[in-house]
Amino acid sequence: MNFDLVGLFSQSKHPALLCVVIFVVFLMALSGNTMLILLIHYDVHLHNPMYFFITQLSLMDVMYISVTVPKMLMDQVMGVNKISAPECGMQMFLYLTLVGSEFFLLAAMAYDRYVAICHPLHYPILMNHRVCLILVSSCWLLGSVDGFMLTPVTMTFPFCRSREIHHFFCEVPAVMKLSCSDTSLYETLMYLCCVLMLLIPVTVISSSYSFILFTIHRMKSAEGRKKAFATCSSHMTVVILFYGAAIYTYMLPNSYHTPENDMIVSVFYTILTPVLNPLIYSFRNKDVTKALKKCGICLSGN
């Protein structure tokens, strides 16, 4: 059984131009995140928990933009838009796993900032390498639970309507619209699952930043306040972008959704967010810009 992906290019008056733009954005996301991963790996000054988490974030971004965009671009170039049921299921599983993992990783990053700013003397103990590995492993595990829960159920529903998925990849809500059986119970369970997937990280993030803001307010050093606020504002920018799009996709009632709006929102957090993350964490971060300059000097010296 095959599905037809009626994606972005069918909605565009200039599909060739859109294809080139998305390809350029894809290359920027890959190069930006890969460069950030390598920079953090090779610069010993960046070997601390915050940059360890940023490395994981960049890895997730590289992986999930690679799950959706290359196929979309190849389909446009080759003039086909079909995807088999196994391919659709695999794409759905990988996407859900990576997005779910990123939900929890952003919460872990907020907790890391809370410990660094509110308990700086205990930071090396509370956020040692073992703790960081446990937190990151838990993020990947919880994300994969999301993929294992939703993908098999979604793909086992009977699809006796049109095979046209009004999306550029196999996202759960878009695929569910093709089912000819009653999916209301599953949609309710999926909604509750998404609430939990969002509620736990949002609670951790909100609590962490409440304590952080209180601590920043009490700081006597203006330089300390500025540095703490700059670090936290970068993370909050990523959180708002990512969670805002996820809440729209998975938690708003169907009456708020149209295929066109769903695709625009999905473009925002599957294609644009992976490009923005390295920019947010590099240009707004003195440690990273310093490491980039040092790397540039080394390359020019050679």
Side-chain angles (χ1 to χ4, degrees), residues 5-36:
L5 291 168
V6 183
L8 289 172
F9 301 113
S10 62
Q11 309 291 325
S12 174
K13 293 180 181 178
H14 306 285
L17 177 62
L18 181 61
C19 185
V20 171
V21 170
I22 291 174
F23 180 64
V24 171
V25 171
F26 174 67
L27 291 180
M28 287 172 62
L30 282 186
S31 57
N33 284 289
T34 303
M35 183 181 68
L36 195 55

Side-chain angles (χ1 to χ4, degrees), residues 24 38 73 139 151 171 220 247 261:
V24 171
L38 293 174
L73 294 175
C139 293
T151 305
E171 194 168 34
K220 293 179 181 179
I247 288 169
N261 288 344

Side-chain angles (χ1 to χ4, degrees), residues 171-235:
E171 194 168 34
V172 174
V175 175
M176 288 302 301
K177 290 176 183 176
L178 306 183
S179 177
C180 53
S181 60
D182 182 15
T183 60
S184 56
L185 177 61
Y186 174 60
E187 286 173 9
T188 303
L189 291 172
M190 184 174 70
Y191 175 82
L192 293 173
C193 176
C194 292
V195 167
L196 287 173
M197 290 285 291
L198 290 169
L199 186 63
I200 295 169
V202 165
T203 302
V204 173
I205 292 168
S206 302
S207 303
S208 297
Y209 278 99
S210 297
F211 286 115
I212 286 169
L213 289 172
F214 180 70
T215 303
I216 290 173
H217 179 70
R218 293 172 59 191
M219 281 182 179
K220 293 179 181 179
S221 167
E223 184 64 27
R225 279 201 302 269
K226 186 179 177 182
K227 185 177 180 181
F229 187 76
T231 304
C232 295
S233 61
S234 297
H235 184 244

Side-chain angles (χ1 to χ4, degrees), residues 43-82:
D43 194 306
V44 292
H45 297 100
L46 301 179
H47 289 182
N48 62 50
M50 183 176 82
Y51 294 107
F52 175 66
F53 291 127
I54 290 174
T55 301
Q56 294 297 310
L57 180 68
S58 290
L59 179 62
M60 289 175 185
D61 284 345
V62 166
M63 289 176 69
Y64 85 68
I65 197 172
S66 300
V67 166
T68 57
V69 173
K71 174 164 176 55
M72 177 176 64
L73 294 175
M74 284 299 296
D75 285 354
Q76 176 63 17
V77 171
M78 301 295 289
V80 296
N81 62 350
K82 294 190 180 297

Side-chain angles (χ1 to χ4, degrees), residues 120-144:
L121 298 177
H122 297 102
Y123 184 69
I125 299 169
L126 293 174
M127 294 302 296
N128 60 51
H129 188 62
R130 183 170 173 270
V131 171
C132 292
L133 286 175
I134 290 170
L135 285 173
V136 166
S137 301
S138 300
C139 293
W140 283 100
L141 177 64
L142 290 167
S144 65

